[in-house]
Amino acid sequence: MVRTASLWRNVKFWRFAGQAIAVIVVVALIGFLGANLNRNLAQLGIRPGFGFLQSQAGFAIGESLIPYSPSDSYSRALLVGLLNSLLVIGWGLVVATGIGITAGIARLSSNWLVRNLALVYVEVLRNTPLLLQLFFWYFAVFLTLPKPDNPIRWLGFSLSNGGVTLPGGLLLSTEFSSLLLGLSIYTGTFIAEIVRGGIESVPKGQWEAGRSLGLKPGQLMRLIIFPQALRAIIPPLGNQYLNLAKNSSLAIAVGFPDLYAVASTTFNQTGRAVEIMILISLTYLTISLVISLLLNLYNRRVQLVER
Amino acid sequence: MTVKPLPQPPSSRLTQTRIWLHRNLFNGWFNSLLTIALLALIGSVGVNFMRWVFTQAQWAVVTTNLRLFLVGRYPVDQVWRLWTVLAIVLALAGYSGWRSQRKKASAVGGSSNAQLLVAVPIALLVIFWLLGGGVGLARVPTNLWGGLLLTLIVAIASTVLAFPLGVLLALGRQSSLPILQGFCTAYIELIRGLPLIGILFMAQVMLPLVLPGQPNIDRVVRAIAGLVLFNAAYQAENVRGGLQSIPKGQTEAARALGLNLPLTLALVVLPQALRISIPAIVGQFISLFKDTSLLALFALLELTGMARSILAQPQFLGRYAEVYLFVGLLYWVFCYSLSTVSRRIEAQTRFRR
């Protein structure tokens, strides 16, 4: 028989064997690591479980969207952190998009000065670490501003080392402002390049047609070019949004109590490495998933529907 | 023989300048206003910045700590070892550059890269021996490595170590075996959904917990392990991009020649796919190079961590702007030159194809 002779040459056999080996290796690895983890945790006297979340946190949190005091539980503290994270991500997405679109269009301006300023902005800030920029904004800029009783007033903004007051009277803390500014300006450089690429991908004929219809430059951009550029912009823009959400975890560098910062404090107090790791991972994965889901929905709307 | 100058167009140099100015800065009232406003802004910012740089800033914090910024607390009498490492790296880079030049000139090509394949691993071993010591050299423990040196070591080591893992993950994700593909996709997407800071936390805290016997692993090694796990997922996506751009005909042709799957991948698909993904891989290295700054949050004294530890000394209190601008410049020089190189490679490969 041919079958018995050629087991070694049987594709089906190898496909099965390959997958079986993969499963065995992964299961063995997880089992090995899990067994070590169990033994090590037992030696440290830590019993795994999420019960500790109900005990009293005992640490204060600088700013919070919901009422919180140190006598509240760890779960409440982590919720405060999560809300703070969502707040900075939400604002960051808006501000970064604004900066990015402005700089991206400026990169294509007919004005030499505007074009090159945008180029310098992109090339300088894209090529230095975000963490360093956050330190710079917080320590070298915001903390050196004048005291709150003598703020710098500019366009309705009022800047001091106690925070930023927006034209509406809303006060943003120094930590939040420097994180928001750093995140948005850094992400803005990447968005600018995406916007520039998107606009450049629109065929020249579209510009010429728009101009010959008598549209003004602003109208031409808003009504003809940008909607078409969006098709090339949205998918990579989504990646930048995900990056911004993940990078918001650098809040700890400027002392803003986001989810990671609160979780890290919780770890220092309780030593619950595994539980906290799981909580952080699940939360960020959920945030990432929600953002990419929303972007996919929007992407389907802007993509070209052909006949 | 003297070349007669071409007859000049009627516009003199002055009018040409005027035309350029008109076209690029003053075409229309809006652009003219914009130009003037921006000039005023740049002028005032520039003057203030220059005044700060030359009169107010105290650069002593940089000049007195220059050694710390560059090599950390690496023993002074052992610094020759770092120079040797630099010489080896430059020699290797020069050699491979010269080879590729010669290859291009003779247009023969095809001479195997065997020499480099042998030379690079040996060089890496020698470099790590020189850096860490042992076997005839004084030991320099990793807690003395610091500054730019540590940043470079961590970035290069984690890229080199993550690369094979990334290639395997990319191949696994492209595989037709559903379970294998599932595992690789799950790993890649899991890691890409998490912030790096979380992965570094895991590496610092969890790594000792999941290994037998609660080993006391070096902080630098833990950091590199975290960066490798992180970086491999991103490298995998870069390589996958290259793999997807290889036409199916290549695999089919290799199969028709009688090559089995491993040989098809190793001799036909991967060489082409990797070449295409070089710009993306360099881009990933730049990103990783910047990301090493996160180690400062885990008490490592790489460039950013060193900056923070210097700023914590009482005599340099408050010199944030000087230190962060200097460190930022160091990062920028590396990242910008690398991105220029990457763009050139991209243009070259596009030209060749």
Side-chain angles (χ1 to χ4, degrees):
Chain A
M1 290 294 286
V2 188
R3 260 185 74 86
T4 46
S6 60
L7 189 62
W8 288 107
R9 294 189 164 274
N10 187 330
V11 175
K12 273 194 185 141
F13 167 76
W14 278 112
R15 289 177 64 89
F16 176 78
Q19 308 207 59
I21 292 171
V23 172
I24 292 169
V25 167
V26 171
V27 168
L29 189 68
I30 292 176
F32 172 72
L33 298 178
N36 289 329
L37 182 65
N38 259 335
R39 196 174 336 108
N40 287 334
L41 285 180
Q43 269 179 21
L44 291 171
I46 296 176
R47 203 175 301 133
F50 286 92
F52 76 98
L53 286 176
Q54 298 318 316
S55 33
Q56 190 179 332
F59 55 85
I61 295 183
E63 52 192 293
S64 166
L65 291 171
I66 52 174
Y68 170 84
S69 74
S71 59
D72 283 328
S73 62
Y74 282 117
S75 54
R76 180 102 180 154
L78 288 167
L79 180 64
V80 170
L82 174 62
L83 291 176
N84 279 340
S85 282
L86 293 178
L87 181 74
V88 83
I89 292 172
W91 276 75
L93 292 182
V94 176
V95 180
T97 310
I99 295 178
I101 291 179
T102 314
I105 293 178
R107 284 274 271 126
L108 297 168
S109 163
S110 64
N111 186 319
W112 182 88
L113 205 56
V114 173
R115 204 160 62 220
N116 281 287
L117 266 184
L119 177 71
V120 169
Y121 155 66
V122 168
E123 290 297 352
V124 167
L125 292 174
R126 193 175 58 160
N127 283 314
T128 43
L130 170 61
L131 184 69
L132 192 71
Q133 292 181 31
L134 288 176
F135 283 142
F136 183 82
W137 289 119
Y138 185 61
F139 290 107
V141 176
F142 274 92
L143 289 188
T144 56
L145 287 173
K147 293 213 170 64
D149 48 9
N150 181 27
I152 302 174
R153 289 182 206 284
W154 184 66
L155 293 178
F157 288 87
S158 148
L159 310 163
S160 74
N161 65 6
V164 177
T165 315
L166 298 189
L170 188 64
L171 175 75
L172 306 177
S173 73
T174 320
E175 289 77 21
F176 181 80
S177 318
S178 29
L179 177 62
L180 178 63
L181 195 69
L183 264 183
S184 314
I185 287 185
Y186 180 75
T187 314
T189 60
F190 295 92
I191 297 181
E193 286 301 277
I194 292 168
V195 169
R196 180 180 66 96
I199 293 176
E200 280 180 337
S201 76
V202 177
K204 257 211 155 70
Q206 298 289 327
W207 292 84
E208 290 159 1
R211 254 182 242 127
S212 59
L213 282 175
L215 294 177
K216 295 201 180 81
Q219 287 177 314
L220 177 61
M221 183 53 99
R222 208 175 60 244
L223 299 173
I224 309 249
I225 305 301
F226 205 70
Q228 298 188 64
L230 267 185
R231 282 183 210 131
I233 289 174
I234 295 292
L237 184 67
N239 279 332
Q240 290 311 317
Y241 282 1
L242 291 175
N243 281 344
L244 184 138
K246 286 184 279 170
N247 282 336
S248 73
S249 59
L250 294 184
I252 197 172
V254 295
F256 179 72
D258 80 325
L259 175 69
Y260 178 80
V262 174
S264 161
T265 313
T266 307
F267 165 71
N268 288 338
Q269 291 195 359
T270 61
R272 299 277 177 170
V274 186
E275 294 86 343
I276 288 181
M277 200 54 235
I278 293 174
L279 279 178
I280 297 180
S281 309
L282 286 181
T283 319
Y284 278 104
L285 286 176
T286 313
I287 295 176
S288 298
L289 215 63
V290 170
I291 293 180
S292 47
L293 213 66
L294 291 178
L295 278 160
N296 279 340
L297 286 179
Y298 185 62
N299 191 27
R300 215 170 293 160
R301 270 187 47 195
V302 297
Q303 287 310 319
L304 190 61
V305 183
E306 295 199 72
R307 288 180 296 272
Chain B
M1 198 177 91
T2 54
V3 182
K4 252 190 179 167
L6 286 169
Q8 281 283 318
S11 57
S12 69
R13 216 184 154 68
L14 193 68
T15 42
Q16 273 180 2
T17 317
R18 202 179 295 156
I19 289 170
W20 186 90
L21 279 177
H22 181 77
R23 267 201 202 132
N24 288 292
L25 293 174
F26 298 101
N27 55 343
W29 63 270
F30 178 72
N31 262 333
S32 309
L33 269 185
L34 205 60
T35 302
I36 291 167
L38 280 176
L39 276 179
L41 186 74
I42 295 173
S44 82
V45 169
V47 165
N48 279 323
F49 182 69
M50 283 302 150
R51 191 183 296 150
W52 177 82
V53 167
F54 288 109
T55 61
Q56 285 161 331
Q58 294 172 25
W59 294 106
V61 62
V62 171
T63 48
T64 44
N65 294 309
L66 201 56
R67 170 186 295 282
L68 285 177
F69 280 119
L70 295 182
V71 299
R73 291 184 291 132
Y74 207 91
V76 181
D77 54 338
Q78 303 291 331
V79 168
W80 62 267
R81 283 152 59 168
L82 303 180
W83 289 114
T84 320
V85 168
L86 187 66
I88 294 176
V89 171
L90 287 180
L92 270 181
Y95 178 63
S96 66
W98 172 73
R99 269 171 55 97
S100 68
Q101 284 295 324
R102 198 185 52 170
K103 231 183 190 173
K104 227 184 281 169
S106 63
V108 185
S111 80
S112 75
N113 286 319
Q115 289 164 318
L116 272 179
L117 276 180
V118 176
V120 170
I122 292 179
L124 279 178
L125 280 180
V126 171
I127 286 172
F128 267 90
W129 172 61
L130 281 170
L131 288 171
V135 198
L137 279 176
R139 284 196 58 78
V140 181
T142 55
N143 61 357
L144 296 184
W145 302 4
L148 185 61
L149 173 70
L150 184 58
T151 295
L152 283 170
I153 291 174
V154 168
I156 292 172
S158 37
T159 299
V160 170
L161 294 173
F163 186 69
L165 202 56
V167 172
L168 287 179
L169 281 168
L171 289 174
R173 193 171 183 173
Q174 290 291 87
S175 149
S176 61
L177 308 178
I179 297 180
L180 192 63
Q181 192 197 16
F183 281 140
C184 293
T185 310
Y187 177 82
I188 293 171
E189 293 304 329
L190 180 74
I191 295 286
R192 283 172 16 112
L194 293 176
L196 173 59
I197 197 174
I199 291 164
L200 289 174
F201 172 85
M202 183 170 74
Q204 292 292 339
V205 176
M206 297 279 288
L207 201 59
L209 286 177
V210 295
L211 292 179
Q214 292 193 15
N216 197 4
I217 312 169
D218 191 290
R219 286 194 92 77
V220 175
V221 175
R222 276 186 271 171
I224 292 178
L227 286 172
V228 167
L229 292 178
F230 173 79
N231 202 22
Y234 288 82
Q235 293 285 24
E237 287 300 271
N238 293 335
V239 174
R240 186 166 74 111
L243 286 174
Q244 281 177 338
S245 66
I246 305 298
K248 217 170 159 57
Q250 296 285 327
T251 332
E252 288 164 357
R255 280 299 176 70
L257 285 175
L259 296 181
N260 60 16
L261 183 65
L263 283 179
T264 307
L265 289 176
L267 299 178
V268 178
V269 178
L270 274 179
Q272 300 183 64
L274 290 182
R275 183 178 300 155
I276 292 172
S277 29
I278 285 175
I281 290 169
V282 178
Q284 179 59 31
F285 179 77
I286 296 173
S287 169
L288 183 79
F289 185 80
K290 290 186 292 174
D291 282 340
T292 55
S293 62
L294 262 67
L295 300 179
L297 300 175
F298 296 92
L300 257 72
L301 293 182
E302 44 64 67
L303 202 43
T304 307
M306 187 54 84
R308 298 229 295 167
S309 101
I310 287 171
L311 283 167
Q313 294 174 27
Q315 71 265 38
F316 300 123
L317 224 53
R319 302 263 66 89
Y320 297 109
E322 290 89 338
V323 168
Y324 288 143
L325 283 177
F326 172 70
V327 169
L329 183 71
L330 285 183
Y331 277 110
W332 184 82
V333 166
F334 273 87
C335 294
Y336 185 73
S337 29
L338 274 172
S339 69
T340 314
V341 169
S342 152
R343 248 172 278 166
R344 196 176 294 170
I345 295 175
E346 204 176 348
Q348 245 175 32
T349 48
R350 206 184 296 140
F351 180 67
R352 218 183 286 162
R353 291 177 70 214

